[in-house]
Amino acid sequence: MSVLSAATRAEVERHRDRYPQARSAVLPSLWALQNQIGHVSPEGMREVSEILGLAPSEVEAVASFYAMYLDRPGGRHHVLVCVNVSCGLRGADDIVAHLERRLGCPSGGTSADGEFTWEHTVECLGACGGAPAMQVDHHFHENLTPERVDAVLEAVRAPSARAGGDRS
Amino acid sequence: MPDTRPVEQPEDGRVGVTVDGRAVRVPKGTLVLDAATQAGVHIPVYCAHPKMDPVAVCRMCLVKLSTSPKLQPACATVVSDGMAVETRAPEVVKEQEGVLEFLLLNHPLDCPVCDRGGECDLQDFTQRYGPPTSRFPITEKVHFNKALRLSDRIELDQERCILCWRCTRYYEEITGEKELVLQQRGVHTLVATFNGQPLTSEFQGNLPEVCPVGALTHVRYRFVSRPWDLQRTASICPECSYGCNLNVDSRDFEIKRFASRDNPLVDDMWLCDRGRYSFPRWNSTDRVRRPLVREARGGVPVAVTLAGAVAAAARQLAAVREERGPGAIAVLGSPESTNEELWLLRRLAREVLGTPHLDHQLERFAGLAPAEHDLGIAETEECRAVVVLGEEPEHRAPVLRLRLFKAETKRGVRVHRLPAGTAPAQAVEAVGTGPGLVGVIADETARAGAAEIAAALAAAGATVKRLTVTRGPNGRGAKDLGVTPGLDAGYRAAAEGMSGREILEAAAAGRVGALVMLNGAALAVDGDDRDLLERALASVAVLVAVESRPGPVAQSATVLIPGHSLMEKLGTITSCEGRVQRVRAALPPATATATETGVLSMLAGALGSTGWPSDPIAVHREIVTAVPAYAQAGNGGRALFRGAPA
Amino acid sequence: MAEHRLLTEHFGMEGIQTLAGYERAGGYQGLRRALRELTPDDLVAQVKASGLRGRGGAGFPTGTKWSFLPGDVHPRYLCVNADESEPGCFKDRALIEGDPHQLIEGTLIAAYAIQAPIAFIYIRGEYFDQRLLLERCVEEARAAGYIGRGILGSDFSCDVIVHGGAGAYICGEETALLDSLEGRRGQPRLKPPFPAVKGLYGQPTVVNNVETLSNLPHIVLRGGSWYASLGTEKSKGTRLFCCSGHIERPGTYEMLLGTPIRELLEEECGGVWKGRRLKAFQPGGGSMQVLLPEHLDLPLDMEAVAQAGSALGAGAMVFMDETTCMVNVSMRLVDFYHHESCGKCSPCREGTYFESDLMHRLERGVLAPEELTTLSDICDNMNGKCFCPLGDTATWFVMSAYAAFRDEFEAHCGAGRCPVREPRAAEAVA
Ligand SMILES: Cc1cc2nc3c(=O)[nH]c(=O)nc-3n(C[C@H](O)[C@H](O)[C@H](O)COP(=O)(O)O)c2cc1C
Ligand code: SF4
Ligand code: FES
């Protein structure tokens, strides 16, 4: 059984054919893999490596280098809170403490209901102008207060959650 | 344009630099590190490796250069004319201490139980350049896997790893395989395989030698010895005809490991696992130790002195010659004998016994010609293209694959791997017409096809040189020295005789009166050949055997004289490219009797031909007088027979 | 208003994120003009004349960089550095969101100048929506004939590929970016050879920052000498300063170079928040040395800031009020470098780990006073000895903060807590 769906496979092939050298498609292909199954699994990486004509070890070497590829399954939504300087100056630690309480697990953990995996990132998210900031499923949420965090999480949890960033 | 070079500047492509005040002239493009070595100044390195491209990651080699405000890596900086290099400037010394402190932060400090203790660059440099104490709290160290089996041959201790990248570069640059890679990043970086799968490379045994510390070690050398307790003997790998140089490391008369010994022209410092891990077989105590004589086949073996055995052998052989003529005697050597032994064996057959039936292996060599041995191993790098026929050459001589990979990736040589039966026209199509050096590499069995392809390529304009991968460590020497039917030393024509297989078949059919075998058991290794050998042994009336191992030959011999293993004697062997290299005794002999050259010399004397040399050095002198190519080769050079009569 | 709107002129304009909106605002006229009226050599000359310097951090003159490409080696590649991950930096994001086609136009102009058949926009993985936006804009531009074969009827062809990173600050370093783009671990390469000679896929390559390229349409339309008339002697034009920290109005402000920093802080950013006093600021992003209130009168000029011992770097301004603990800020930055060290060279990999360990213990107030010497000593063993600037810069802020706020660092030693943020406890002990 193949891990990659037909659509993901087609996407990886499209990336492969797009670049002057197939190897350049590793990052976008890993994204395709992660978008499909939520993380980058060894079997998935092996299939990607076959399509790109690489050794599986080369793909894993790359995948494990980058912080955004997840090496294990997590919750349905992924929350990333910045704790670098600008966010730190404007109260990121409070947001972290709030999330820890709210989701009932430490950074890197998944809430009991399986909805959220959250972690704090020391890599600045590039949202210092709206510090403190976080990303939920890659979308920015800025000028956070504990109340806003709750509102964002609720909105995502709801089935009617609307995609798209909110920078108010 | 006017020439503005200063007059005193000799235009020899060299530049002048000083290292700690010592002036040297080195070729343009030389690395500071190599210039320092030439000036006799030692610069400590971890990531730099003589066979790999610089990466400058460890920062151990930073030096002060007159050309730069910042310290620069000696391993990756090219000298410029007039550059002054300082390796002991205060800031350099401080930086060296600093790097060592960093490298030791997360290092386990388990030298007492580390296999590399005593030959570890981390231990050595810390003593020589290191900080006196560690300022890093031991409780804060990052922990990784220790004693992780990467395969049944290699173990990895991730905590000892200093991330010099040598092992991963070894895979990438030297073998082209991608088994070992770096994973994660930053302080969590580690050396690992895909999803923890075992290594499968047939070259993984080089890893512990490439690793400057005790991170990668041999499973088979685990807790075996300290380097200072080992006795080191320079020799040649006995596994195949490629001739890799190695060191035999032994202790208490037992070989503990084979270690590589860099010969840039041959192995380029790499061994294959088959060769490297073949050492245990030489430790076997299952040996023929005493001369025995049976007066007739199936008779009771009687222990005798060596002199008694030699006399009995002479008597038995003389009787057969008397009765059935010299053609009833056949002589078989093996590709595991030294040149000196083979030389005397050839003399015994051709000059004393007078038989043309002389060979060193089973296959017949139709069209054996010196031209098939022209191409040198290192010369492949100078070729425009190389044709490798079939999988046999790289299978028989695995390190050849590394050389071809180097030729391909570092020298841009195009390597065409074609099936053994490829038609000449197809080979020309693959390689393309036109001038330039083209190599053709084949196994002995593909000799005829290789000759045709070479001819076709030559007709298409190329200069063609061939390399034939021979069998055993010294199959090539046996041919050079005339231990083959129909060809005498130096590829001179001789009376036609039976090949090894024909000899055994004739013996099995009762058509051979006496058989002389030197190391004969090595001839027949696989099933069918063993059968044939056993049938032959069962039918021959007189079997004079010099043999080191018990087995069918020893069991059937009417005269059995103990032999010495390749690890127990001095002599030369000739690799497939014709390189005449020295093997040396790394172990004491298992028997008190004379070595093979001594035995052969005694036997000749007993048969009436006296005055033969008996020690290998004297025999070698005889060879170089008789075979000029060997005189030219000297020790370690190549014997070239170009233009010799076929 | 001291703000000088050139690159940000159309920020917030209705429909600017679409091709139609951008064209309404006069978009793609620069590209049109370049293709019709200028040869690639003219273009390089114009950019040289403009005095434009790279906005990615190092400030290297852009036209000069382009002219390093060897004459006859093709293909060449252009890489747009949109990896922006320097702490405090978000101006490239602002440019992408605020005027995405301006960047694409600038990219195409640069690609034309160096005759690159493909331009890659390497955008950091966290800028997910921003990548989608750029991809959409690239498709629009392609459909309108600005990207592809024979652009606008000329014989210049160029494809633009938006390439997403995946979380690694080091990929902003230009050679690491190239390795990452080639599908490898994003680690810096040994130089020489420099990218201009041997870059992406071993071919001559130019790497330029988003903001650098966003300037090009304006330079083409209004001329290099016009651009050179803006700014100071060596710092030409405007720059986007992304301001954050303890200020009333964090955000991105485009300033004419040469304007005093005080003007940026007081007029644009609304001054220090909550009526507090400024304690310190960092002018160029997480890598740069700390400056003090007395430096507020420095002009926004690369040379002037460098003389004060810091750098304008990537144009990030982080302001810190009087309540800020400099040890805490240093610790966060050191953590960042520790987390982002690629692990290639030992001083950076192990040094940032050591540094981080020391800073955490200092912040908790459990460091022994003599270990501060260790801190400066290991920083000295890193600075200038690492493979790339990441490891060097991992020491700059903390060392400058230690020099400027020595008392504060020392007060932490053995205090058992942070004496700045918990002053009363400190007094009680005293
Ligand atoms: C560790 C490190 C990180 C960097 N990150 C970025 C970055 O995110 N964006 C950027 O444009 N330049 C970054 N740079 C600078 C680039 O190496 C390069 O100088 C720049 O992209 C060149 O573009 P410019 O000449 O237009 O400024 C970084 C440099 C270093 C050493
Ligand atoms: S295992 Fe040895 S060779 Fe490999 S990176 Fe670590 S120290 Fe270097
Ligand atoms: S030996 Fe030069 S940096 Fe490692």
Side-chain angles (χ1 to χ4, degrees), chain A residues 1-23:
Chain A
M1 255 301 273
S2 158
V3 171
L4 300 188
S5 66
T8 307
R9 187 168 285 274
E11 188 182 341
V12 172
E13 284 166 356
R14 204 169 58 244
H15 290 308
R16 176 194 63 196
D17 299 339
R18 181 101 208 266
Y19 290 89
Q21 289 182 12
R23 189 186 186 114

Side-chain angles (χ1 to χ4, degrees), chain C residues 53-76:
Chain C
R53 289 166 67 177
R55 305 301 197 221
F60 197 84
T62 306
T64 310
K65 186 191 270 191
W66 294 355
S67 62
F68 286 155
L69 295 180
D72 44 0
V73 190
H74 292 274
R76 294 129 163 222

Side-chain angles (χ1 to χ4, degrees), chain B residues 45-48 56-61 75:
Chain B
V45 298
Y46 288 117
C47 64
V57 302
C58 74
R59 316 306 279 179
M60 190 63 211
C61 70
C75 70

Side-chain angles (χ1 to χ4, degrees), chain A residues 61-75:
Chain A
V62 171
S64 63
F65 182 85
Y66 296 92
M68 293 179 75
Y69 297 124
L70 309 174
D71 61 359
R72 77 201 76 169

Side-chain angles (χ1 to χ4, degrees), chain B residues 281 333-337 360 517-525 533 547 553:
Chain B
R281 82 174 162 110
S334 95
E336 271 199 17
S337 300
H360 68 283
M517 290 185 104
L518 181 68
N519 245 320
L523 273 182
V525 274
L533 175 69
E547 192 61 58
V553 174

